[in-house]
Amino acid sequence: MASYQALRHVSIGQYIPTGSLIHRLDPRTKLVCFGLLLACTVIVSSYIGSLAILLVITGATLIARLPLGYLFRSIRPALPFIIVLSLLQLLFFHSAAAAPDARVLWHRGIVTITTASVQAVVVALIRFAGLLMLTSLLTNTTTTGDLTHGIEHLLRPLTRVGLPGHELALVCTIALRFVPILGEQAEAILLAQASRTITPQREGAWRLIDSATRGARLVVPLFVDAYRRSEELVLAMQARCYHGGRGRTQLRALHLSRRDLVALALAIIILIGAILSGYVALP
Amino acid sequence: MYDERGIRRVVNAGLLLAITLLLALTRIGFIPAPTPAGNATIAHIPAIVGGLLEGPLVGLIVGLGFGFASFTQATVPMFRDPLVSILPRLFIGVTSAYTYLALRKATKDQLRGLLALLLALLLFAAWRIYATPSDDGSRSLLVPVLIVVLGLALVGGLYLWLSRQDPRIVVVAIAAAVGSLTNTILVLTMASLLGYLAPGVALGIAITHGIPEVIIAAIIVIAVVAALRGLGQRKRSRVSEDAF
């Protein structure tokens, strides 16, 4: 029975209220800083650079007073998989073209380990940890309502050039609102089918058409239900004279304070550092 | 300026995005299949359905959501790179939307003509591969023969299917397959371009993972679109209409 109840606990990054400095930042600031730091983690490919970025992100997590153990508990089930994959990468990733100056550390048969492949694996692992903490940092310190407001404000320039900024934010809000509802619906469908002796079998990987049909048995009612709910929502919005984002005001106005500017400046400085570090031969 | 269709598109995009998140964030989005990972994802199906039913823009938005979900949930380091996990996913709904728009009005004979064209292209490609000697001057027969056999099987199967099925359903299947292939091919191309996978490994994954996923996507998208649009319905019992 427990297998039917796992759906209800969908968490897209639980909000953890600790009231820290980072929690009190403007959501726009957090989104922009998130983007800038994300760019940093992807840009740097040296040991020192990626460690430095990881340190910055850890520091921010500590300032936000988020429990580090909680963040890493989520990847524990995937850990064996990550290790196996890193090993494969280490053993078989060697392209002389990509890194001509790499030294060969070990060579036997088809297995070649070079300094470049070691660096690729280690940096990828550090990057993984950094990105994990960064995403949690954003979603654990910002409520979904604030996130949508922030996204809508940031997309506002798009509206000026004719792109649907307000609509995009509305799509995000509707999606976040309906994930738990549709999750419950999926659960109800599974239970209804179970009560009619249809159980979700997990074996028989080679019987492709069978497993696709089994998938369709859950997915099709889910889509039909979603479209029915969508009709109801459209009707409700029309009844309330919804007319798009033009001239709409908000109950809670967003204000940029001095600490937002400081945070933005810091993120920009870190990004510039990351870009510059690409021109210096760091180990 | 803001008509009912506009509102409906926004709301449908939101709900498709919600289904995407639900499928991507829980294990119901995985179907057991003969792939290296042991299962195939169906979380990209809302993006394909969005492209087919609501147009390329909705397909793009839902694809973006799928990319974002796979980015935040990634356990494999290569999907922690937004260039691999988000960028390719934008095109899933877009390619299937345009495939569908291009083929939507096609008759059975036009589709048969397209199949003949596809077969000719495949045969030409096989001949080119056979005719170009590799670096050491040897000619390999395996790949061209494989292409010819698989191409004949694919075109023959589609031809048979087309002659006994509603062409609109075949078009939906083709569009779904295009969307699913877009996902596989673009993700693996980005991964090998950025050096996360060796090109040979990427090709292996493309064949072992891509083909089951295409089949599953085609079947489920047909089921969903048929249910939502009432395609290929047989005569139904009218009890419910009479009763109420």
Side-chain angles (χ1 to χ4, degrees), chain A residues 3 12 78 82 85 89 93 127-128 131-132 135 167-168 170 175 202 205-206 211 223 227 230-231 238 242-243, chain B residues 1-2 4 8 10 12 14-16 18 22 25 27 30 32-34 54 61 72 74-76 80 195-196 223-224:
Chain A
S3 68
I12 317 170
I82 296 173
L85 208 89
Q89 179 97 341
F93 174 90
R127 191 180 288 176
F128 173 64
L131 288 169
L132 179 86
T135 351
E167 281 73 10
L168 275 178
L170 183 65
R202 289 277 136 197
W206 281 97
S211 31
F223 270 93
Y227 264 73
S230 138
E231 282 306 309
Q238 278 184 313
Y242 175 77
H243 63 278
Chain B
M1 60 156 227
Y2 218 83
E4 190 184 327
R8 180 161 289 130
V10 170
N12 283 345
L15 277 143
L16 288 170
L22 187 69
L25 303 183
R27 55 188 173 67
F30 294 101
E54 316 288 339
I61 294 170
T72 53
T75 49
V76 189
R80 281 272 148 190
Y196 292 103
V224 170

Side-chain angles (χ1 to χ4, degrees), chain B residues 83-190:
Chain B
L83 286 178
V84 178
S85 56
I86 297 184
L87 185 69
R89 266 65 186 267
L90 296 179
F91 300 99
I92 300 173
V94 179
T95 53
S96 41
Y98 281 116
T99 313
Y100 182 66
L101 285 179
L103 296 178
R104 190 175 45 169
K105 298 255 168 70
T107 59
K108 269 192 188 188
D109 287 330
Q110 284 168 332
L111 286 175
R112 284 195 189 115
L114 275 179
L115 279 183
L117 196 68
L118 179 71
L119 187 63
L121 274 176
L122 281 173
L123 290 179
F124 180 70
W127 178 73
R128 286 296 306 172
I129 291 173
Y130 178 67
T132 353
S134 56
D135 295 340
D136 49 353
S138 65
R139 291 177 180 209
S140 120
L141 203 58
L142 181 68
V143 178
V145 167
L146 210 63
I147 293 180
V148 169
V149 170
L150 285 180
L152 278 176
L154 174 77
V155 172
L158 276 177
Y159 185 86
L160 276 183
W161 192 34
L162 187 59
S163 44
R164 53 171 94 157
Q165 188 57 272
D166 187 349
R168 287 177 297 174
I169 287 191
V170 180
V171 169
V172 168
I174 293 173
V178 168
S180 188
L181 278 176
T182 309
N183 181 26
T184 315
I185 292 175
L186 286 185
V187 165
L188 290 171
T189 310
M190 284 309 286

Side-chain angles (χ1 to χ4, degrees), chain A residues 74-143:
Chain A
S74 59
I75 55 164
R76 200 185 288 158
L79 219 49
F81 192 54
I82 296 173
I83 293 170
V84 169
L85 208 89
S86 306
L87 274 179
L88 282 179
Q89 179 97 341
L90 185 65
L91 295 179
F92 299 109
F93 174 90
H94 59 90
S95 56
D101 55 342
R103 273 187 304 117
V104 175
L105 294 175
W106 200 71
H107 178 81
R108 182 162 298 173
I110 54 160
V111 175
T112 313
I113 299 179
T114 64
T115 45
S117 58
V118 173
Q119 180 158 358
V121 170
V122 173
V123 169
L125 284 176
I126 298 176
R127 191 180 288 176
F128 173 64
L131 288 169
L132 179 86
M133 288 167 70
L134 201 57
T135 351
S136 312
L137 193 58
L138 178 68
T139 51
N140 290 349
T141 61
T142 322
T143 58

Side-chain angles (χ1 to χ4, degrees), chain B residues 9-26:
Chain B
R9 265 181 24 156
V10 170
V11 173
N12 283 345
L15 277 143
L16 288 170
L17 193 57
I19 298 182
T20 305
L21 294 178
L22 187 69
L23 291 180
L25 303 183
T26 61

Side-chain angles (χ1 to χ4, degrees), chain A:
Chain A
M1 222 50 205
S3 68
Y4 295 108
Q5 282 166 2
L7 293 177
R8 202 167 284 175
H9 308 289
V10 183
S11 61
I12 317 170
Q14 293 277 324
Y15 176 68
I16 305 177
T18 62
S20 74
L21 185 65
I22 292 189
H23 284 73
R24 277 176 282 141
L25 285 178
D26 189 289
R28 287 171 292 178
T29 316
K30 279 189 270 195
L31 279 164
V32 172
C33 290
F34 173 74
L36 293 176
L37 288 177
L38 198 68
C40 292
T41 45
V42 178
I43 289 172
V44 292
S45 57
S46 62
Y47 288 120
I48 293 184
S50 43
L51 269 181
I53 299 289
L54 185 65
L55 270 180
V56 169
I57 298 172
T58 317
T61 313
L62 289 178
I63 293 174
R65 295 204 290 270
L66 296 175
L68 281 176
Y70 173 81
L71 299 187
F72 280 97
R73 207 172 303 149
S74 59
I75 55 164
R76 200 185 288 158
L79 219 49
F81 192 54
I82 296 173
I83 293 170
V84 169
L85 208 89
S86 306
L87 274 179
L88 282 179
Q89 179 97 341
L90 185 65
L91 295 179
F92 299 109
F93 174 90
H94 59 90
S95 56
D101 55 342
R103 273 187 304 117
V104 175
L105 294 175
W106 200 71
H107 178 81
R108 182 162 298 173
I110 54 160
V111 175
T112 313
I113 299 179
T114 64
T115 45
S117 58
V118 173
Q119 180 158 358
V121 170
V122 173
V123 169
L125 284 176
I126 298 176
R127 191 180 288 176
F128 173 64
L131 288 169
L132 179 86
M133 288 167 70
L134 201 57
T135 351
S136 312
L137 193 58
L138 178 68
T139 51
N140 290 349
T141 61
T142 322
T143 58
T144 44
D146 274 352
L147 264 184
T148 350
H149 271 174
I151 294 171
E152 188 176 343
H153 273 263
L154 288 176
L155 293 178
R156 209 164 263 179
L158 286 183
T159 321
R160 299 231 176 85
V161 293
L163 283 169
H166 168 80
E167 281 73 10
L168 275 178
L170 183 65
V171 166
C172 295
T173 325
I174 293 176
L176 289 176
R177 182 68 194 87
F178 273 94
V179 165
I181 294 177
L182 291 179
E184 273 173 33
Q185 188 65 33
E187 209 172 289
I189 294 168
L190 283 175
L191 282 173
Q193 292 180 345
S195 73
R196 292 160 180 80
T197 70
I198 304 173
T199 47
Q201 280 170 337
R202 289 277 136 197
E203 62 267 14
W206 281 97
R207 301 169 68 189
L208 203 57
I209 307 230
D210 273 3
S211 31
T213 331
R214 225 176 287 132
R217 235 164 23 211
L218 172 65
V219 173
V220 170
L222 202 58
F223 270 93
V224 173
D225 179 66
Y227 264 73
R228 191 177 52 74
R229 283 178 199 276
S230 138
E231 282 306 309
E232 284 168 9
L233 186 55
V234 169
L235 194 65
M237 282 164 79
Q238 278 184 313
R240 288 158 183 79
C241 305
Y242 175 77
H243 63 278
R246 203 164 297 172
R248 214 177 146 94
T249 54
Q250 258 148 11
L251 183 62
R252 285 180 58 192
L254 296 174
H255 292 293
L256 282 182
S257 64
R258 194 186 292 156
R259 56 171 176 256
D260 293 307
L261 298 179
V262 172
L264 277 175
L266 276 178
I268 291 171
I269 290 171
I270 294 170
L271 179 66
I272 292 173
I275 294 172
L276 288 182
S277 77
Y279 297 101
V280 191
L282 281 177

